[in-house]
Amino acid sequence: MLEVTTLTKKYGNVLAVDSISFTVNPGEIGVLLGPNGAGKSTTIKSIAGLLRFKGTISICNLDNKSIDAKKIFGYVPETPALYDALTVYEHLVFIAKAYNLDEGWQEEVDRLLSIFDLTDKQDKVGKDLSKGMCQKVSLCCALLINPKVIMLDEPMIGLDPKAIKELKKILIQLKEQGCAVLISTHIIDSIEGLWDKVLILHKGKFAAVRTRSEVDKNNESIEQLFFKVTEEGE
Amino acid sequence: MQSLLYIIKRTLVNTIKKIVKRPLVLIGYILGILFIVFILILSFLDSSSNSYGSYDLFFSLIVTALFIYAYFTLKKGIDNGSSFFRLADVNIAFTSPIKSNNILVYGFLKQLTQILFFSVLALMQVPNLRRFFSISQSGVLIILIGFILYMLTLPIISMIIYSYTSKKLKRRKVAKVILNLLFLAVLINVVFSIIREQTLLEGFTMAMSTKFISYLPIIGWNGQIIAYAISGITPSFYVFLGLSIGSIFLLIIWLYRMEKDYYEDALVSTEFKESVISSKAKNGFFVIGSTTKIKSVSFNFTKSGAATIFQRSFLELRKTGMLFFDKVSIMIIVFVIVVRVAFYEGTILFVLLISVYILLLSSVNGRFTQELSKHYIYLIPAHNTTKLIAVTAMANLKNLFDGLILFIVAGFLYKESIPLVILCGLTYASFGAIYLYGEVLARKLFGAVHANALKVFLKLLLTIFILTPGIILAIIVLINSQSFFNTVLILLSYNIFMATILLLISSTIFKYIELG
């Protein structure tokens, strides 16, 4: 479970995120939406443990910056940066070693490489990969650790249709296995049919937090909800 | 830690594998290494090192270089922090369950490998130093130790300062004021000392080799370590070595204790570093920052074909206000005045030699690398040579402008004739053209990455095989005719000839995008 409580982040005098709280339960897919500058990236980076912040973030009841929390947390950043001189396979070996994965990770590596059509690219170094391939490697790295909580920042960008289909399938599998999934995106259509909870950030605060049943009950789409709450009072 | 070492090990292995796959690049690296070894052996074999530069002068020069480096590093550190990491480290290593102190150590190891690479640059200057100072044979090692320790210390101090100042804007402003005041105090002290002593060198040496500066933490200590290259190792060397190494350990502990959560600072500075790296890769050193104002300028393209490239460059210059007279021009004027004051018996020819050597070490050709990254240049229907001339025209004009400024000032100081002044300015620009087209050729042969890595070696190759025959020819003319004008004229003619050959050979770089 991912639990964020009164998360506040200031850059100098600018309040980027203003005391937001939310949870993404096991087996739930949460979607973080918001216009540019709403505070999504700050929230994502805070959860990933890259920023200092006020408030608490816990991953399965563990402090997000603790080693134990990191062991069960997968992160796919918006900009997939890989090591220039490491091959695709070596990236995954590094992850297996860094996360001290149990025996059998090699089979999982092969499975992931095959799913994302990377088997024949496994000896290519990071520098020679296209943006889409970097994104696929980045996804493989996050999935390899078999996370309990996974956070994906614009995961579909750069992926080919087959990879998008596979990723969606994997996200549903993760959900079924009890993993808490948080996706941040601008492309509302890309998460259609996937989400359980939508969190709309606007000017550093939540403008709306709704479950799928609540949205369905009001007979509105996320897109309609998004524009309604972000354009109110503007 | 084992997993982090895996990254370093595999990076090294894969880099070597890639080099081995390209025979020309491999030959380049092998020759480069052999060249460095050859130069070092040669400088070691030459036991007749000169000693007209005193220990105090050596120490003063070293400490001044350390001060200047510290000023710019710390200034940058206050603004953007300092990072040992790349974005891949932030995205992958920072979010992994590896202790942050292990990641810090990994960052240091990476930094160390980079510093060792830059040390090669320092090594290349050893023969020059030995020409002026009596550096012992073990002195080379001592210089390297001092250099590496200093290069390791400053990023840590930068990170500590950034960690402290980034939290409040006021702190950042105060830190900048303190830094400026400290370095202004050193500068004022030097100026007063020069006025008091009435001579530049003595005044400078008196100001920079005081006991106070010798014992100044970090700068003074590392300066002392490097200065033992002249005086030879004494027990006090180990004291300064201990102080320097000890300070690195203490600073690391301080950094770690002060801010266990250094990821945010590293993230900000890494993102900045990454943007600089990608700007350099795309645009060379000509980077339009986010704060650069773009003026609205009315402009008509009057030319067609390749000439439009030149017109576009000119339009960009007008829009950004980055005209010919810039910091480099100011530095050149200061440089010629310093040379005149420091070397009373020097000549305009001496100024020419030193200035083209500095141009060789610092040549920044900016725009042509920017053009190479965009597809338009490859598609414009014009002859490759014309395109290369158009692309490099602005850099050549800039060199001509700087050359003329330099020699107008030098001509005034040395009371030389106008024709000689103009000739020297043109010759300065012709050296710039050789460096420029030499670099284009290197990119064509080795590709951008390896041309950059082999830069030092390629520049030396350029000096020996392309420039030296011209210089020898000029010396012969000077001995026979005793005329500066004839000497510079020969040099200019030779350079134009060589620059044209290099231009013609390298012009096919615009044939395919992969050549750039």
Side-chain angles (χ1 to χ4, degrees):
Chain A
M1 182 175 69
L2 170 67
E3 196 170 6
V4 176
T5 316
T6 59
L7 170 68
T8 304
K9 175 65 190 172
K10 265 179 142 183
Y11 294 107
N13 294 325
V14 180
L15 188 61
V17 176
D18 186 7
S19 193
I20 61 166
S21 301
F22 67 95
T23 52
V24 181
N25 296 311
E28 195 172 62
I29 298 181
V31 179
L32 191 62
L33 296 176
N36 295 331
K40 287 195 309 293
S41 288
T42 303
T43 306
I44 293 281
K45 283 176 184 167
S46 300
I47 295 170
L50 298 173
L51 298 181
R52 286 185 285 266
F53 54 83
K54 279 186 184 164
T56 55
I57 297 173
S58 63
I59 290 163
C60 298
N61 298 319
L62 299 161
D63 175 54
N64 73 323
K65 290 188 180 178
S66 69
I67 299 290
D68 287 335
K70 288 183 176 199
K71 280 183 182 170
I72 49 170
F73 175 71
Y75 172 50
V76 181
E78 185 183 6
T79 314
L82 301 181
Y83 291 100
D84 286 345
L86 251 59
T87 63
V88 170
Y89 184 74
E90 284 164 354
H91 273 88
L92 295 164
V93 174
F94 165 69
I95 293 293
K97 289 188 178 205
Y99 284 74
N100 209 4
L101 298 183
D102 294 333
E103 284 300 309
W105 59 265
Q106 287 93 339
E107 286 78 38
E108 185 60 9
V109 166
D110 292 341
R111 191 180 75 86
L112 289 168
L113 290 176
S114 160
I115 288 174
F116 288 105
D117 283 337
L118 288 171
T119 309
D120 57 337
K121 312 275 185 322
Q122 59 180 308
D123 292 326
K124 277 201 162 203
V125 290
K127 209 175 166 35
D128 296 339
L129 296 177
S130 67
K131 199 189 167 197
M133 295 231 226
C134 287
Q135 182 72 342
K136 286 180 178 179
V137 178
S138 196
L139 280 164
C140 291
C141 288
L143 294 168
L144 182 65
I145 64 166
N146 194 18
K148 295 264 187 297
V149 174
I150 186 166
M151 186 169 65
L152 307 100
D153 197 357
E154 296 291 359
M156 318 285 185
I157 287 181
L159 293 184
D160 54 50
K162 193 205 165 205
I164 291 177
K165 192 180 154 199
E166 291 297 339
L167 177 62
K168 284 183 176 176
K169 218 171 12 174
I170 288 172
L171 290 176
I172 290 166
Q173 276 172 11
L174 284 169
K175 176 186 158 171
E176 285 166 359
Q177 286 163 15
C179 178
V181 182
L182 180 65
I183 304 170
S184 168
T185 185
H186 279 110
I187 310 160
I188 299 172
D189 290 346
S190 68
I191 38 96
E192 201 53 58
L194 273 180
W195 64 280
D196 297 302
K197 181 187 272 179
V198 61
L199 310 133
I200 303 175
L201 260 178
H202 187 42
K203 293 179 181 170
K205 285 184 172 183
F206 279 131
V209 177
R210 303 272 196 283
T211 59
R212 180 178 274 276
S213 57
E214 284 168 340
V215 172
D216 289 346
K217 209 163 86 183
N218 290 336
N219 209 16
E220 59 183 354
S221 66
I222 315 185
E223 196 172 4
Q224 286 168 325
L225 177 68
F226 179 85
F227 286 119
K228 194 174 118 192
V229 296
T230 56
E231 286 176 359
E232 256 173 22
E234 291 204 350
Chain B
M1 197 63 211
Q2 194 200 357
S3 52
L4 293 168
L5 291 175
Y6 176 79
I7 298 177
I8 296 175
K9 191 179 90 185
R10 293 310 309 173
T11 300
L12 188 70
V13 171
N14 291 345
T15 309
I16 294 169
K17 272 185 183 172
K18 278 205 107 177
I19 291 172
V20 171
K21 277 182 191 166
R22 293 183 65 182
L24 189 63
V25 175
L26 180 66
I27 291 169
Y29 278 102
I30 292 172
L31 283 177
I33 292 165
L34 287 176
F35 202 79
I36 292 164
V37 173
F38 173 72
I39 282 205
L40 283 176
I41 290 174
L42 213 64
S43 75
F44 275 118
L45 288 177
D46 178 19
S47 55
S48 62
S49 71
N50 297 305
S51 56
Y52 50 80
S54 67
Y55 170 87
D56 282 349
L57 177 63
F58 182 70
F59 178 75
S60 303
L61 288 172
I62 293 294
V63 162
T64 306
L66 299 187
F67 261 114
I68 293 169
Y69 184 73
Y71 179 74
F72 288 107
T73 310
L74 297 181
K75 200 164 182 280
K76 201 186 97 198
I78 295 169
D79 285 331
N80 305 302
S82 184
S83 178
F84 308 134
F85 304 102
R86 295 291 305 269
L87 208 54
D89 297 314
V90 172
N91 283 349
I92 302 172
F94 282 19
T95 54
S96 70
I98 300 173
K99 282 182 186 167
S100 55
N101 52 347
N102 282 348
I103 293 180
L104 198 61
V105 173
Y106 155 74
F108 274 107
L109 287 175
K110 283 209 319 177
Q111 186 78 355
L112 195 65
T113 51
Q114 276 179 26
I115 291 170
L116 284 173
F117 180 75
F118 285 118
S119 307
V120 174
L121 257 177
L123 277 177
M124 304 312 294
Q125 299 308 315
V126 168
N128 281 338
L129 281 174
R130 292 201 81 202
R131 209 169 294 151
F132 293 100
F133 299 100
S134 58
I135 293 170
S136 61
Q137 288 180 347
S138 61
V140 181
L141 194 68
I142 294 170
I143 292 172
L144 257 186
I145 292 171
F147 178 76
I148 291 171
L149 288 175
Y150 190 67
M151 297 287 274
L152 268 177
T153 317
L154 277 186
I156 315 171
I157 299 175
S158 268
M159 241 166 126
I160 290 173
I161 294 177
Y162 183 77
S163 293
Y164 180 73
T165 56
S166 63
K167 291 181 184 75
K168 282 182 183 166
L169 196 66
K170 201 179 166 189
R171 283 185 191 176
R172 197 178 288 189
K173 281 182 184 167
V174 170
K176 267 189 192 172
V177 171
I178 292 172
L179 183 73
N180 286 335
L181 285 177
L182 281 175
F183 284 86
L184 196 66
V186 176
L187 192 69
I188 290 171
N189 185 34
V190 172
V191 172
F192 273 111
S193 179
I194 291 169
I195 294 168
R196 203 172 45 239
E197 295 299 319
Q198 299 283 307
T199 59
L200 184 106
L201 273 185
E202 266 184 47
F204 165 73
T205 312
M206 288 282 274
M208 295 306 286
S209 60
T210 57
K211 281 261 180 274
F212 174 75
I213 288 187
S214 308
Y215 293 126
L216 204 66
I218 318 295
I219 294 179
W221 298 344
N222 284 291
Q224 283 280 8
I225 291 173
I226 296 172
Y228 280 102
I230 282 193
S231 62
I233 293 177
T234 60
S236 56
F237 167 78
Y238 297 103
V239 174
F240 286 111
L241 189 68
L243 281 171
S244 186
I245 296 171
S247 61
I248 290 177
F249 276 106
L250 285 175
L251 285 167
I252 294 172
I253 293 168
W254 186 7
L255 177 70
Y256 188 63
R257 292 224 168 139
M258 174 188 181
E259 202 55 83
K260 279 187 182 177
D261 198 358
Y262 65 86
Y263 285 176
E264 179 168 336
D265 305 327
L267 175 70
V268 175
S269 44
T270 305
E271 281 173 347
F272 175 75
K273 185 175 156 186
E274 208 73 31
S275 69
V276 170
I277 290 170
S278 80
S279 289
K280 276 186 186 172
K282 283 182 192 158
N283 308 321
F285 286 86
F286 184 82
V287 179
I288 296 176
S290 55
T291 52
T292 308
K293 282 186 182 168
I294 310 286
K295 286 183 229 162
S296 152
V297 172
S298 62
F299 188 84
N300 287 326
F301 280 94
T302 52
K303 306 277 180 195
S304 60
T308 50
I309 303 166
F310 173 71
Q311 283 202 312
R312 203 210 63 233
S313 304
F314 189 69
L315 175 63
E316 282 175 344
L317 275 184
R318 282 182 59 195
K319 282 192 166 193
T320 51
M322 293 174 178
L323 293 169
F324 290 139
F325 193 82
D326 57 8
K327 278 180 199 166
V328 178
S329 314
I330 298 167
M331 277 162 65
I332 275 173
I333 295 171
V334 173
F335 159 77
V336 70
I337 294 170
V338 169
V339 170
R340 177 70 182 98
V341 178
F343 301 94
Y344 298 104
E345 288 168 16
T347 62
I348 199 164
L349 211 57
F350 181 65
V351 175
L352 178 65
L353 282 178
I354 296 186
S355 60
V356 296
Y357 182 65
I358 292 172
L359 185 67
L360 172 74
L361 295 179
S362 63
S363 59
V364 173
N365 302 316
R367 282 195 176 267
F368 95 85
T369 47
Q370 182 191 7
E371 295 289 352
L372 291 174
S373 68
K374 298 186 172 65
H375 63 280
Y376 308 108
I377 192 75
Y378 303 91
L379 303 177
I380 290 172
H383 196 275
N384 288 325
T385 313
T386 338
K387 282 198 262 187
L388 185 57
I389 291 170
V391 165
T392 51
M394 213 43 100
N396 282 323
L397 281 176
K398 168 70 179 149
N399 283 336
L400 181 63
F401 180 80
D402 285 343
L404 287 174
I405 285 191
L406 172 71
F407 289 99
I408 286 169
V409 179
F412 176 74
L413 293 172
Y414 288 99
K415 296 183 179 60
E416 292 290 355
S417 67
I418 294 170
L420 183 61
V421 164
I422 295 170
L423 208 60
C424 284
L426 287 168
T427 310
Y428 178 88
S430 70
F431 273 98
I434 289 186
Y435 303 155
L436 181 59
Y437 298 122
E439 199 176 323
V440 180
L441 184 63
R443 276 182 83 111
K444 185 184 154 183
L445 293 175
F446 299 103
V449 176
H450 298 296
N452 214 20
L454 289 166
K455 211 172 197 169
V456 182
F457 165 65
L458 292 171
K459 281 185 174 182
L460 277 160
L461 216 62
L462 198 74
T463 315
I464 289 174
F465 293 107
I466 295 172
L467 300 177
T468 309
I471 293 168
I472 291 171
L473 208 63
I475 291 169
I476 294 169
V477 171
L478 179 66
I479 293 167
N480 288 321
S481 70
Q482 295 291 313
S483 157
F484 280 177
F485 188 87
N486 291 346
T487 309
V488 180
L489 188 65
I490 282 291
L491 207 52
L492 176 63
S493 313
Y494 174 83
N495 282 358
I496 290 173
F497 174 70
M498 286 316 293
T500 312
I501 289 179
L502 286 172
L503 166 79
L504 292 173
I505 300 173
S506 56
S507 60
T508 50
I509 195 160
F510 292 130
K511 208 169 180 181
Y512 309 110
I513 198 160
E514 61 184 353
L515 287 175

